[in-house]
Amino acid sequence: MTQRQEFRVIRSYGGFELREYAPCSIAEVRVSADYSSAGSIAFRSLFGYIAQGNKRSEKIAMTAPVISAQKAEKAADDEWFVSFVMPAGSTVEQLPDPSDPRVVLRQLEAESCVAASFRGRADEDVMKKKVAELRALAAKENIALSEETRICRFDPPMKPGFLQYNEIVIPISKNHSE
C-alpha cells in the first residue's frame, strides 16, 4: 500500500475535518499552466526525481497524495505548485539533490489545516466548487483560513473517475486563534 502523508484528526465537523499534519519533506515543481495541464507537466519532473534514487541508489518510494497548490486565493489561474510528499521521516538533508533544476526540495513544518474529501475526477470545475464549499463551511465555524489551497489526488489518472479519491486541504491562517 502506498504510504500517505501523516496527520491526526483534531476535530470532525459536518463536511470537513480539522487536522494536524506532521512535518514532512516535499519535492515541488512550479508550473505556469491551467489546472488540468499543470499536474501532467510537473509529474514528469517529480517522477524523474524519485526514480533517480537516493545516495544508496535506491528509488524513493511513491507516496500519496500528489498535491497541486495555489499559494494565494487570488493567484493567477495558471500558477501551480505541484508536489510529491517524500516518505515519512525524510529530511531535505537526507534526500538526493535533484538533477532537474525545476524540482525544489522543501521541509514543511507541522501545520493545522481543514480538509474535505470527495470521490470522482478532480477536474477544474469540481475543484472550484469543492474549494468554495470548504471555505464556506470553515467560515461558519469561525475558522480563519490562509489563502493557499491544495488539491490532493490519491489515485492514478487511469483509475476510473468515479473511484478516484481526492481531498481539498487548506491551511489555517497563522493569525487564527482557537
Side-chain angles (χ1 to χ4, degrees):
M1 184 168 157
T2 303
Q3 185 183 68
R4 292 189 173 198
Q5 186 178 9
E6 296 180 348
F7 67 87
R8 70 180 177 88
V9 176
I10 297 170
R11 183 170 174 195
S12 293
Y13 295 87
F16 73 100
E17 295 176 335
L18 177 60
R19 298 175 177 174
E20 178 73 24
Y21 281 86
C24 67
S25 298
I26 63 169
E28 179 178 74
V29 173
R30 182 180 178 174
V31 178
S32 292
D34 61 48
Y35 169 74
S36 59
S37 300
S40 297
I41 293 167
F43 189 87
R44 287 187 281 278
S45 294
L46 292 168
F47 188 77
Y49 173 71
I50 65 171
Q52 85 181 28
N54 62 22
K55 292 174 175 70
R56 295 183 305 274
S57 296
E58 299 166 350
K59 291 182 180 178
I60 299 169
M62 182 74 182
T63 61
V66 173
I67 302 169
S68 297
Q70 283 195 303
K71 302 293 182 170
E73 208 172 349
K74 295 175 177 57
D77 284 343
D78 65 347
E79 183 175 64
W80 291 93
F81 294 82
V82 182
S83 58
F84 283 4
V85 177
M86 297 293 98
S90 298
T91 63
V92 170
E93 295 77 26
Q94 296 169 325
L95 294 166
D97 292 330
S99 57
D100 183 333
R102 293 172 291 200
V103 177
V104 175
L105 301 178
R106 290 194 312 126
Q107 192 72 36
L108 301 181
E109 300 303 318
E111 66 180 339
S112 296
C113 299
V114 295
S117 62
F118 65 97
R119 292 247 177 230
R121 203 167 294 285
D123 65 30
E124 190 164 5
D125 292 336
V126 169
M127 179 267 302
K128 285 180 178 180
K129 178 182 172 205
K130 297 292 183 184
V131 167
E133 288 172 0
L134 180 54
R135 287 188 176 279
L137 289 170
K140 278 188 193 178
E141 298 295 339
N142 295 313
I143 299 173
L145 301 177
S146 75
E147 292 186 353
E148 182 177 349
T149 300
R150 301 173 189 160
I151 296 89
C152 303
R153 292 169 292 155
F154 289 80
D155 295 305
M158 64 286 263
K159 188 172 191 175
F162 68 94
L163 293 174
Q164 291 183 12
Y165 177 80
N166 308 284
E167 294 179 344
I168 303 296
V169 176
I170 304 172
I172 302 295
S173 172
K174 302 287 186 218
N175 300 325
H176 179 77
S177 59
E178 293 186 37

